[in-house]
Amino acid sequence: MHIQDEWRVLTVGDGDLSFSLALAKRFPEINLCASVLDSEEALRDKYSLNAIDDLKTLGHNVVFELDITSTDSITSKLSKSFDLAIFQFPLVPNAGARRPGQSWHQGTDSNLENRKLLRAFLFNAAKFLLRNNGANLCYITSKDVKPYCDWNIENLGHGGILDYIGECEFNPNLFPGYRIRNVDRDKQVKSTSATTYVWSSNAQQHAHMQLTMPKSDSSDYCALCKVGPIKSPRDWQAHTNSRLHRRRTEFQNNWEAFLQQ
């Protein structure tokens, strides 16, 4: 995760704020603003361990009740002054009761809602948060397991102000004290392999970051499932009939229908 000392950095939706604190300790020269969707009272009530007071003691700003999908919320609480906006392990909170046999955060509706959240983050950060002459960077870190890997994250900013410029592995061991929390309750989530996806309005400016780009779509590669090369027609047919491909095709069709609304 490339960060320079002189940057102004915004963290978005940082749960108990432990990532923001770990970030501030790893890069002590940055100007950090940490933000959460919860009110201060709700955050303290939800997470018995939180970094509110530690961040304030270090002189960093903490913004509560920031809804990254709302223009009014963003413009009333923050200014267009940041070099980098970071969204760590984003996830739309659960809504309503869980139906019998239903897993949390899975299914077509959940997939669409999480894609909408991340697209709003990228568009609103570019328009209202990233300063014109700065680094102009957005990072999204997400797990490489279901349902997160079904979001097609690298393509969510298509048609926006920022371009997807690559990805890198996220190593939580570089951020001691960072607790990946459940979005709805005071429970730590098991750590798994994760990827940080990167967007910028100036890819050439950040060529030194040595990011990995996904394989391009071709006749023998399924970009949707990141599978290939698939050489024989029989193997290609087997893949397109697979549960993975059919599920991701449904998600993608719903996403494209949303974009056309």
Side-chain angles (χ1 to χ4, degrees):
M1 185 172 282
H2 177 73
I3 295 176
Q4 294 183 9
D5 288 342
E6 69 273 15
W7 285 358
R8 288 180 53 84
V9 179
L10 171 72
T11 57
V12 173
D14 185 23
D16 64 358
L17 295 168
S18 62
F19 173 72
S20 297
L21 181 61
L23 188 71
K25 290 180 177 180
R26 180 169 172 79
F27 301 97
E29 300 302 318
I30 62 172
N31 187 323
L32 177 66
C33 177
S35 70
V36 292
L37 179 62
D38 289 323
S39 67
E40 180 172 356
E41 180 181 7
L43 192 149
R44 290 184 185 275
D45 184 61
K46 182 190 298 185
Y47 300 116
S48 56
L49 293 176
N50 63 75
I52 297 173
D53 297 327
D54 290 329
L55 283 168
K56 290 182 176 181
T57 297
L58 291 174
H60 297 295
N61 190 26
V62 180
V63 174
F64 299 97
E65 299 181 88
L66 178 72
D67 181 353
I68 197 62
T69 69
S70 166
T71 299
D72 290 341
S73 178
I74 294 168
T75 56
S76 66
K77 297 177 182 293
L78 297 171
S79 61
K80 191 177 176 70
S81 60
F82 298 97
D83 295 280
L84 167 65
I86 305 175
F87 207 161
Q88 287 290 113
F89 299 103
L91 191 64
V92 172
N94 289 307
R98 180 168 58 175
R99 298 186 298 273
Q102 177 193 21
S103 297
W104 288 125
H105 302 299
Q106 295 195 20
T108 302
D109 292 344
S110 177
N111 184 282
L112 181 60
E113 291 306 309
N114 280 286
R115 292 190 188 205
K116 287 162 63 176
L117 167 65
L118 297 187
R119 185 174 175 83
F121 162 68
L122 293 171
F123 274 62
N124 289 336
K127 188 172 182 180
F128 301 111
L129 298 172
L130 299 180
R131 63 190 183 96
N132 295 331
N133 297 320
N136 272 277
L137 282 166
C138 279
Y139 295 168
I140 295 174
T141 301
S142 188
K143 293 187 176 186
D144 295 331
V145 297
K146 272 196 325 182
Y148 318 99
C149 59
D150 288 333
W151 295 348
N152 198 14
I153 293 176
E154 60 267 32
N155 292 309
L156 295 184
H158 182 69
I161 304 171
L162 302 177
D163 296 318
Y164 177 70
I165 64 172
E167 61 193 54
C168 61
E169 180 183 0
F170 176 74
N171 183 359
N173 295 324
L174 297 177
F175 300 91
Y178 178 26
R179 300 175 297 271
I180 304 174
R181 292 289 197 175
N182 186 288
V183 71
D184 296 306
R185 59 191 185 278
D186 193 1
K187 182 179 180 182
Q188 194 162 343
V189 177
K190 182 179 179 181
S191 180
T192 64
S193 61
T195 298
T196 297
Y197 302 86
V198 182
W199 287 261
S200 177
S201 60
N202 189 343
Q204 187 174 2
Q205 179 184 356
H206 303 293
H208 63 282
M209 293 173 65
Q210 297 181 331
L211 301 169
T212 301
M213 287 293 291
K215 296 179 182 178
S216 60
D217 197 4
S218 64
S219 59
D220 61 0
Y221 180 76
C222 178
L224 195 60
C225 302
K226 300 181 182 178
V227 172
I230 306 173
K231 295 299 185 182
S232 74
R234 180 178 179 180
D235 290 342
W236 186 260
Q237 186 65 43
H239 172 69
T240 56
N241 288 335
S242 68
R243 183 178 180 181
L244 171 68
H245 185 80
R246 287 187 286 109
R247 182 180 76 244
R248 290 188 173 175
T249 298
E250 180 185 6
F251 291 151
Q252 189 64 21
N253 288 341
N254 287 332
W255 175 245
E256 291 174 2
F258 162 74
L259 293 178
Q260 293 174 7
Q261 291 177 1

